[in-house]
Amino acid sequence: MNPKVDWYFAKAGKWEKETRKLRTIVLDCGLTEELKWGCPCYTSGKKNIVLIHIFKDYCALLFFKGALLKDPSSILIQQTKNVQVPRQIRFTNAQEIDELRPILKAYISEAIEVEKAGLKVELKKTSEYPIPEEFKNMLDKNRSLKKAFIALTPGRQRGYIYYFSQPKLAKTREARVEKSIPQILDGKGLDDE
């Protein structure tokens, strides 16, 4: 156990019992406990394997290379369709964790082996995502916007493309593009302050 991470479990609120159980299971698998992105992160040979995090309706164990796991119990969840590699196992009570203990250990062991083997997922390239017409038109009209968009990280580019693509109405897509222009020009992603 890493004392620098203890505060996370104390502040987990209604998920304290569940996150502490997950912590015990993960540490039993021989991983090193660190604090990354404000969450308990567990590594093997300095490589990220799993992360414990809490949400309003559940707590979760996130496998960084979850898409490469076999998932015989069909319990891995892709958070959103834009998430390419990580997968979660979600919990809403401590009993679920107790019941899944041996399965969780098996998944963690497999995740460690995937990392040791150096396996990687072939990621979908940003250029493979269709750019909505409204945003494409704006990029064609505004050179500084196009330059700023190209300078963004691929993940931020995909975030904007997905965000602009969601609405069914062209008017709503246009409004989203207009509203996001200052963020893009500032080199920020959707979630940046």
Side-chain angles (χ1 to χ4, degrees):
M1 284 192 199
N2 182 340
K4 292 179 182 175
V5 183
D6 288 343
W7 67 270
Y8 184 88
F9 299 96
K11 79 153 188 98
K14 73 177 189 176
W15 302 113
E16 184 176 355
K17 185 176 180 183
E18 289 79 4
T19 56
R20 287 187 188 279
K21 283 181 178 283
L22 290 172
R23 182 186 204 187
T24 300
I25 291 168
V26 174
L27 289 173
D28 282 349
C29 294
L31 296 175
T32 301
E33 185 174 60
E34 300 180 37
L35 188 66
K36 295 184 180 184
W37 308 284
C39 296
C41 181
Y42 300 86
T43 62
S44 176
K46 299 198 185 273
K47 300 287 186 176
N48 299 330
I49 305 296
V50 294
L51 180 110
I52 295 172
H53 53 168
I54 56 176
F55 296 88
K56 181 182 172 191
D57 297 325
Y58 62 90
C59 64
L61 191 59
L62 177 122
F63 289 81
F64 285 92
K65 291 188 175 178
L68 295 174
L69 300 180
K70 293 181 184 98
D71 194 19
S73 299
S74 300
I75 55 176
L76 292 174
I77 297 169
Q78 185 176 2
Q79 286 175 271
T80 68
K81 68 180 182 177
N82 275 350
V83 174
Q84 294 187 58
V85 185
R87 297 292 185 269
Q88 289 180 333
I89 301 175
R90 296 178 180 171
F91 306 95
T92 56
N93 62 64
Q95 184 180 342
E96 290 174 317
I97 296 168
D98 290 334
E99 290 169 2
L100 287 174
R101 179 179 293 269
I103 293 170
L104 294 176
K105 285 187 167 192
Y107 276 52
I108 293 166
S109 293
E110 183 185 356
I112 293 167
E113 291 307 312
V114 162
E115 193 55 60
K116 282 181 182 175
L119 300 180
K120 296 184 187 290
V121 172
E122 187 67 35
L123 298 176
K124 189 174 175 183
K125 293 179 177 37
T126 303
S127 60
E128 296 177 53
Y129 291 86
I131 296 178
E133 197 64 35
E134 297 78 9
F135 186 47
K136 190 175 181 327
N137 293 339
M138 189 62 74
L139 291 173
D140 291 342
K141 285 193 273 186
N142 186 333
R143 285 184 182 207
S144 58
L145 178 64
K146 186 172 188 173
K147 185 177 177 183
F149 183 72
I150 290 169
L152 293 174
T153 64
R156 286 181 173 165
Q157 289 177 4
R158 286 189 299 272
Y160 280 113
I161 291 169
Y162 178 67
Y163 177 66
F164 298 151
S165 300
Q166 285 178 320
K168 291 180 180 157
L169 298 176
K171 187 168 126 181
T172 308
R173 289 190 299 270
E174 286 172 10
R176 283 189 176 189
V177 169
E178 287 289 337
K179 185 179 174 189
S180 299
I181 290 173
Q183 286 276 115
I184 295 170
L185 292 173
D186 286 343
K188 296 179 178 177
L190 281 169
D191 298 327
D192 296 340
E193 297 279 328

